[in-house]
Amino acid sequence: MRAMPTIAGPLGLAVMAMGSHASSPLAGQSSELVAELGATWSLPPIDVEGGAAGFFVTGLRASRWGLGGSGLHASLLVGRSMDEVDAGDVLSGEAGGEAWRDIGGGWSSGVRGRAFGLRVDAPIEQRSYGVEGAVLLRWRAPAFRASVRATGGAGQSRLSVEIPPSDRDGPTRTRERTDDLWRYGTEVELLWGDGPVLAGVRGGIDEGADGTYSRGGVQLLATAWLGVVEVHLDQWDTPAGAETTGGLAFHVPAGGWSARGVAGRPDPDPLLRDERGRGVGGVLVGRRILGGGADPATRSGRAHLHTVLDETPEGARVRIELPVETGAATVTVLGDFTLWEEVRMERRGDRWSVELDIPAGTHHYGFMVDDEWYVPEDAPDAVPDEWGRRSLILVAGAGGEVR
Amino acid sequence: MKIRSSGFLVLALFASLATAAASSASGLAAQDPPGAAAGTEAGEQPDPRAQAQRVLSPEVFQRVDVEATALERSGIPAAILYRKALEGAAKRVPDDRLVPGVLQYAERLRAARTALAADPLAPVAVDVPLLVAGADALQRGVSPELLGRLGQDGGERTPVSVLVLADLVETGIGDDRALGLVREAVLARTREQRMLEIPAEVRRLLRQGRSPTDATEELRRALRRRGGGGAVDRGGA
């Protein structure tokens, strides 16, 4: 069995950074800057002696997610080893984003990109960085969604380790290894479900600098008032052999606070050639410094999307507004009061807006954003419909007292 | 530790994505529906049944029409069901799922009417806005029994009081406390637009660390004190 210093701890950091956008398509619109503090740890590879390596971690995470899953994110984490003898400081950062465009018939096309960097100071000095881009095609039906993506990327990984002298007077040697890494490949993902739980299968194949990576697996995504949880299990065939990966990731916002974490065995990454441990884990607690938005946990900051301008027993004149978000080219409102035909909303400053005369009654309504049904996660007075979506409720002609 | 992150890569990526997002304009063509154009008077709306016949496939319309007719025979206006079918069509629900959803809604309307009629003081005629609000409340987790109790012992139910009750229950306030708060608002002759803000006030107090009991009690005291104004101090002691 090999005996080498455990360096897998930083991988936990990398996973945490990369997980920052995992929940974005389900999280609704939001814009925030969050300061985070926590810990991450990892187990060494199967054939390596040693215990778990842990790091105290702190950093910043910024994100801006709009309608339809478009948005940007960035995170920067620094960590200090819990065991100063075993490892030094680490730095992990990632920035990326995606943009989607509706192309009709339930189809959307998108682009996604990210850049990442990882730096470890000791005991093995490591510098890894890379950029990656993908072109995506997505099809959504009421209880099914499919996506296919083609990905390409390049990066570099440099490892440097000091080798102690073989005798007391001998020189200390440094062994360095630099790998130019690249990948290209494709992945298909199928998800079923129309409510808070989505289940799916996925598979893909990548060519990397060191050979072929193929995978197949299952995943489960759940959104509830607690937040977002993702569980996955994958079987891989890599240049290093066959292996199984899996784990759990969660993101739980609660007011201005949030908690996110990962646990499991990380996926191989052709752009992050590394000695992957038996498992990694970590938990970060965050406090929002700036921004806000969708918050499925607490429904805090909920604001009505309609304002009654004038009201009589026969009905009301109502202004309906929706905040402008990234990527929304067209927004319409529709509901009982339009017999479910779309009414264009006009962009006025930072909002989409329309004024309507609405007959007295209890009405359901919502929005079409770039041709997709949309009700903000944090909107008040929303009711689930019979098909797993939500509609807003508007009571017109309610100007009087409750008698 | 010196930080040497790949800053230019980050900036480059942000720039490219900003460009991609800015160029993502799509040409969704919304219609200007009859009687409901932006910034205009609503005017006359088409008949929901005629609209449903125009929009739905013949098979779906036929099944909805049969159910709507049955609903109307039981005293519930058929238009509610045609609107629900139009809602499903607007949300692009496939036909094989649309019809079961409409039938499910019809059942909930019947359940709401039964719950609301459990109150001996309830009017005989069907109050459509109240009925729709009641069906929504059942969907949001209000029990039929609680819905029935809302109108008992003083105070007439309105769509707004049902809506507020449902919102409070959904927030996690217990049945009795939610009902007590709504009744207090009714007795205080709280204006309905003001009443709609009560759930938000409760959530604000919960976020400040109050227990559900304390939050609802504080609101009840404020309603009594201000005779329907109902707002608690923004600072929230």
Side-chain angles (χ1 to χ4, degrees), chain A residues 281-305:
Chain A
V283 176
L284 289 175
V285 175
R287 175 65 183 169
R288 185 190 300 146
I289 303 171
L290 295 172
D295 194 341
T298 63
R299 303 154 62 86
S300 63
R302 306 194 314 167
H304 292 279
L305 298 172

Side-chain angles (χ1 to χ4, degrees), chain A residues 89-233:
Chain A
D89 296 333
V90 296
L91 171 68
S92 170
E94 177 180 327
E98 56 194 271
W100 289 92
R101 174 180 178 170
D102 177 77
I103 53 178
W107 291 90
S108 305
S109 61
V111 292
R112 178 182 294 166
R114 73 180 178 111
F116 66 89
L118 174 67
R119 170 180 169 145
V120 184
D121 283 347
I124 295 177
E125 190 179 288
Q126 180 184 1
R127 306 283 186 272
S128 295
Y129 59 87
V131 292
E132 197 172 68
V135 179
L136 306 97
L137 193 61
R138 181 175 72 189
W139 183 66
R140 282 186 176 181
F144 175 74
R145 66 186 69 177
S147 66
V148 57
R149 66 171 170 261
T151 306
Q156 190 178 73
S157 183
R158 183 166 64 85
L159 298 177
S160 174
V161 60
E162 288 188 354
I163 301 172
S166 53
D167 56 67
R168 192 170 55 187
D169 300 325
T172 299
R173 291 177 298 140
T174 300
R175 180 182 295 171
E176 289 192 1
R177 171 182 162 178
T178 300
D179 291 307
D180 290 320
L181 302 171
W182 49 265
R183 68 175 290 192
Y184 65 86
T186 184
E187 186 175 68
V188 177
E189 183 179 88
L190 308 174
L191 282 170
W192 288 267
D194 206 9
V197 178
L198 302 174
V201 296
R202 62 186 178 185
I205 186 165
D206 270 294
E207 280 300 323
D210 56 342
T212 302
Y213 292 70
S214 60
R215 78 190 296 188
V218 295
Q219 62 177 328
L220 193 69
L221 286 165
T223 56
W225 67 272
L226 276 173
V228 183
V229 178
E230 177 183 357
V231 181
H232 76 274
L233 185 67

Side-chain angles (χ1 to χ4, degrees), chain B residues 107-172:
Chain B
E107 281 308 306
R108 204 162 56 249
L109 286 170
R110 291 188 178 98
R113 195 185 59 165
T114 302
L116 294 166
D119 175 14
L121 298 177
V124 176
V126 172
D127 179 336
V128 173
L130 180 62
L131 188 65
V132 172
D136 286 349
L138 295 178
Q139 178 80 333
R140 297 171 78 181
V142 175
S143 68
E145 186 262 342
L146 183 64
L147 198 56
R149 284 170 60 199
L150 180 59
Q152 294 171 359
D153 304 326
E156 188 180 331
R157 282 166 300 205
T158 66
V160 167
S161 63
V162 172
L163 177 60
V164 171
L165 178 69
D167 209 350
L168 291 170
V169 169
E170 202 176 46
T171 299

Side-chain angles (χ1 to χ4, degrees), chain A residues 302 337 341-342 386 399, chain B residues 31 45 54 108 191 203:
Chain A
R302 306 194 314 167
F337 43 79
E341 293 218 0
E342 296 181 41
E386 290 66 28
Chain B
Q31 297 180 9
Q45 279 195 341
R54 187 177 69 79
R108 204 162 56 249
R191 293 191 66 79
R203 283 190 289 271

